Amino acid sequence: AQSVTQPDIHITVSEGASLELRCNYSYGATPYLFWYVQSPGQGLQLLLKYFSGDTLVQGIKGFEAEFKRSQSSFNLRKPSVHWSDAAEYFCAVGDSGYSTLTFGKGTMLLVSP
Amino acid sequence: EAGVAQSPRYKIIEKRQSVAFWCNPISGHATLYWYQQILGQGPKLLIQFQNNGVVDDSQLPKDRFSAERLKGVDSTLKIQPAKLEDSAVYLCASSLKPGQGGNSPLHFGNGTRLTVT
């Protein structure tokens, strides 16, 4: 069965500093990997996705993520965090076809002035 | 493009009562999903529809939860009777077609927050 681990429940970053959110997955075949962001009281918004090809993927809002098969990881990064990035971030894994997504438990990002 | 619409936004009920949530997906999206998000957890799929047929309901507690999408457009999720552990946010999502192909990401509604007392 597929699973996702996000080791950090909360992370606090100073505004303007760089960010890295960790995600490790367990999946037998080549995974489809996703990062979603959820602001309070809102639904989830897709930041970026990885299916195949270049292991460094670019997303919206200046985010990027790198797929590392050897480490079963798909970490999310941003070079300079803005206060508006404060939200909860979810990593998810799935496959093609009629698959469902399996989400991690999320990482809450707090941005300090 | 209008997003996924859900109602109500909030609902408070007592245990053993019944409740229903409504979802209207993005126009033209054939696939509709209901997810349950318990506080501190990631969303968990309850049921997936392709048009008006059920694709996956393996994690739906069928003794108390039911869902329908009769005309292949909007959908209703019902809980009867509710338990305390059903307190959660219920998210509806839709996609153009099933699976996670590059052109068919999930679009989520803002959810319904259910509190069972």
Side-chain angles (χ1 to χ4, degrees), chain B residues 52-89:
Chain B
N52 60 351
V54 175
V55 172
D56 182 356
D57 64 355
S58 57
Q59 298 191 85
L60 186 74
K62 298 179 185 65
D63 57 333
R64 298 184 299 106
F65 285 66
S66 65
E68 59 184 17
R69 193 185 184 199
L70 294 176
K71 298 182 179 179
V73 180
D74 58 345
S75 175
T76 303
L77 177 70
K78 297 179 181 178
I79 307 175
Q80 181 179 10
K83 293 185 175 181
L84 296 177
E85 58 261 37
D86 297 332
S87 293
V89 175

Side-chain angles (χ1 to χ4, degrees), chain A:
Chain A
Q2 58 200 39
S3 66
V4 175
T5 302
Q6 294 181 247
D8 304 305
I9 298 175
H10 297 100
I11 281 186
T12 300
V13 175
S14 298
E15 190 168 17
S18 63
L19 168 71
E20 182 169 28
L21 301 182
R22 296 183 291 165
C23 171
N24 293 97
Y25 67 90
S26 174
Y27 188 72
T30 300
Y32 284 21
L33 294 160
F34 306 81
W35 276 99
Y36 284 83
V37 61
Q38 185 177 35
S39 298
Q42 304 293 314
L44 282 76
Q45 181 185 22
L46 179 67
L47 284 176
L48 48 77
K49 58 187 181 287
Y50 170 78
F51 294 146
S52 64
D54 192 348
T55 56
L56 184 64
V57 292
Q58 303 296 321
I60 62 171
K61 304 184 180 185
F63 286 92
E64 66 177 27
E66 185 171 13
F67 170 59
K68 293 186 177 179
R69 184 186 300 276
S70 61
Q71 299 177 19
S72 297
S73 69
F74 189 56
N75 293 349
L76 182 71
R77 301 194 294 247
K78 186 170 184 178
S80 177
V81 168
H82 188 262
W83 64 266
S84 60
D85 294 324
E88 191 157 23
Y89 292 79
F90 291 93
C91 182
V93 65
D95 62 20
S96 62
Y98 285 82
S99 74
T100 61
L101 286 184
T102 298
F103 286 85
K105 293 187 176 182
T107 297
M108 181 66 72
L109 172 64
L110 305 174
V111 180
S112 60

